[in-house]
Amino acid sequence: MSQPEPQPDAALPELAAHPKVELWQGDTPLEQLNNLGPCLGITLWAKRDDCNGLAMGGNKVRQLEYYLGRGAAEGADTVLITGAVQSNFVRLAAAAARRLGWQPEVQLEDRVPKDDPFYRASGNFLLDQLLGTRIHRFPQGENEAAADRNLDEIAARLRSEGRRPYVIHLGLDHPPTGGLGYVEAACETRRQLQRMGREPSHVVIPSGSGLTHAGFLVGARALGWRVPVLGICVRRDAAQQHPRVLRRAREIAGLLGTGLEIAEQDVIVDDSVLAPGYGQINEQTRTAIRLAAETEALLLDPVYSGRCMAGLLHFVEQGRIPKGSEVLFVHTGGTPAIFAYQSDLAPPAIDSAAG
Ligand SMILES: *Cc1c(COP(=O)(O)O)cnc(C)c1O
């Protein structure tokens, strides 16, 4: 196997030009999955971004460090964000606001057709309430532009009351600031791998808004790390997701300002495990969640990390990730959503068996 260029301290000093607030400290663990890997015929590593230290953690903590860094530079005293009822981003934005001593305001969209009482009251939603978040309802689901417009109206109202909200929008017409957090995550991961002398052949990562996927890809390429970054579609199909991630990656590269170019073929997305759609569990995801829990006590959620693992299992089954490969799975969190999907995950037999 060819060795990487010796780069003992993979880092991108350009990141320091962007304002950042610190919401946690240290590196998240990079763990070898010694049961699940052999079970799949591969060497498997997990980057545990579910373990960063803010309010049950997850990938949005890294994104928020850069969004709220900009907010702090603008003198914000409030975070305003929009998301699904079980959004991890909303929960973590509210948590970050509390850490900084700001007020959390959130707009919750009806994005997932689920009337289940656990979905509507537990998981992230319960945590939003514990955090004392002010909740604004938005009845529409898959309409980013309308959700953003309504968000701007709420922001205008808050400003008229003398508040200074920092608004985190959904749409592509706003800068991908949070993607810088995954540029940084790629550097951190690369450093950890280099210290262990490891060189994975594939990275597998969920692809939703695309900032995690695009940010990691840009970070890797900016370091000269050529590993394929396989994005598992969790929200849109591959035909919609590919141009979105490409655009976001080019914008993030632009923010970083190294002159890095991202080629179309560098963006890889796959939607084989997406059906029936965002936030709706399927059999492959259920299998992936059980397998990770039973082999590694690795807890994955139905919307993102479980679906991403389902995508990884699919790639191995199809031979797109060949046996013997060394694979890095990026665990992006989502842990509280497990409780919101109780009806989909808990075997109903427990009650009757106990009786
Ligand atoms: C939001 C989220 C993702 C997707 O990240 P994007 O940057 O939106 O693509 C993946 N996993 C979890 C747990 C998330 O909350």
Side-chain angles (χ1 to χ4, degrees):
M1 265 208 330
S2 73
Q3 288 297 307
E5 291 285 293
Q7 265 181 330
D9 273 317
L12 295 168
E14 295 84 2
L15 275 172
H18 297 271
K20 181 184 166 186
V21 293
E22 195 164 89
L23 296 173
W24 63 290
Q25 281 172 11
D27 294 353
T28 59
L30 181 65
E31 292 177 344
Q32 190 165 1
L33 303 183
N34 286 318
N35 302 319
L36 183 53
C39 166
L40 303 176
I42 60 176
T43 302
L44 184 57
W45 297 87
K47 177 61 174 162
R48 297 291 305 275
D49 272 10
D50 58 319
C51 293
N52 48 22
L54 180 70
M56 296 184 140
N59 62 338
K60 301 311 185 308
V61 178
R62 292 188 192 267
Q63 298 190 15
L64 283 160
E65 290 190 317
Y66 285 92
Y67 280 119
L68 302 189
R70 186 164 293 193
E74 293 169 5
D77 62 8
T78 298
V79 177
L80 175 62
I81 186 169
T82 186
V85 171
Q86 284 298 333
S87 167
N88 300 299
F89 203 1
V90 163
R91 178 243 317 166
L92 287 167
R98 289 307 190 194
R99 270 287 176 88
L100 297 172
W102 303 2
Q103 295 296 312
E105 302 261 349
V106 311
Q107 168 176 281
L108 294 184
E109 310 155 28
D110 277 323
R111 209 186 280 174
V112 180
K114 260 176 110 59
D115 262 335
D116 187 289
F118 293 110
Y119 184 83
R120 305 214 64 89
S122 185
N124 283 302
F125 183 78
L126 173 60
L127 300 181
D128 295 344
Q129 289 178 302
L130 282 182
L131 292 161
T133 307
R134 176 139 141 230
I135 293 169
H136 308 263
R137 292 284 180 178
F138 188 68
Q140 293 176 49
E142 291 298 336
N143 189 343
E144 280 195 342
D148 278 350
R149 266 197 308 279
N150 203 59
L151 206 58
D152 286 330
E153 281 168 26
I154 299 169
R157 275 206 304 281
L158 292 170
R159 282 190 200 102
S160 74
E161 293 162 11
R163 304 261 297 277
R164 294 189 304 278
Y166 181 78
V167 185
I168 302 176
H169 296 90
L170 287 174
L172 289 172
D173 45 345
H174 298 275
T177 310
L180 294 169
Y182 270 82
V183 172
E184 195 177 335
C187 296
E188 181 182 305
T189 307
R190 183 67 164 154
R191 282 195 297 272
Q192 288 173 312
L193 288 165
Q194 285 173 332
R195 277 182 213 130
M196 296 186 292
R198 310 305 298 223
E199 181 74 20
S201 54
H202 303 79
V203 171
V204 181
I205 197 164
S207 198
S209 75
L211 293 188
T212 301
H213 178 190
F216 196 98
L217 177 66
V218 168
R221 295 303 179 265
L223 292 169
W225 182 18
R226 303 296 312 165
V227 66
V229 180
L230 313 180
I232 305 300
C233 295
V234 297
R235 174 106 190 256
R236 298 172 188 80
D237 65 20
Q240 293 175 282
Q241 191 66 5
H242 187 276
R244 187 182 179 102
V245 174
L246 181 62
R247 173 176 166 169
R248 283 321 215 180
R250 287 176 171 165
E251 289 170 350
I252 294 166
L255 283 181
L256 197 61
T258 54
L260 174 74
E261 291 190 16
I262 300 293
E264 213 167 295
Q265 35 328 338
D266 232 5
V267 173
I268 305 168
V269 293
D270 187 276
D271 62 9
S272 307
V273 299
L274 178 60
Y278 175 77
Q280 295 171 265
I281 199 164
N282 58 27
E283 218 30 62
Q284 297 117 301
T285 302
R286 216 189 299 265
T287 302
I289 290 172
R290 294 241 169 87
L291 187 62
E294 289 179 10
T295 57
E296 296 287 350
L298 192 68
L299 301 177
L300 306 177
D301 82 288
V303 187
Y304 297 106
S305 52
R307 202 169 293 247
C308 185
M309 183 60 82
L312 188 157
L313 299 182
H314 178 79
F315 278 138
V316 171
E317 243 167 51
Q318 302 289 304
R320 268 185 81 180
I321 293 178
K323 297 279 176 196
S325 300
E326 181 151 348
V327 180
L328 172 73
F329 170 78
V330 181
H331 189 334
T332 51
T335 317
I338 292 171
F339 303 100
Y341 283 80
Q342 171 162 344
S343 309
D344 290 313
L345 292 174
I350 287 177
D351 271 345
S352 39

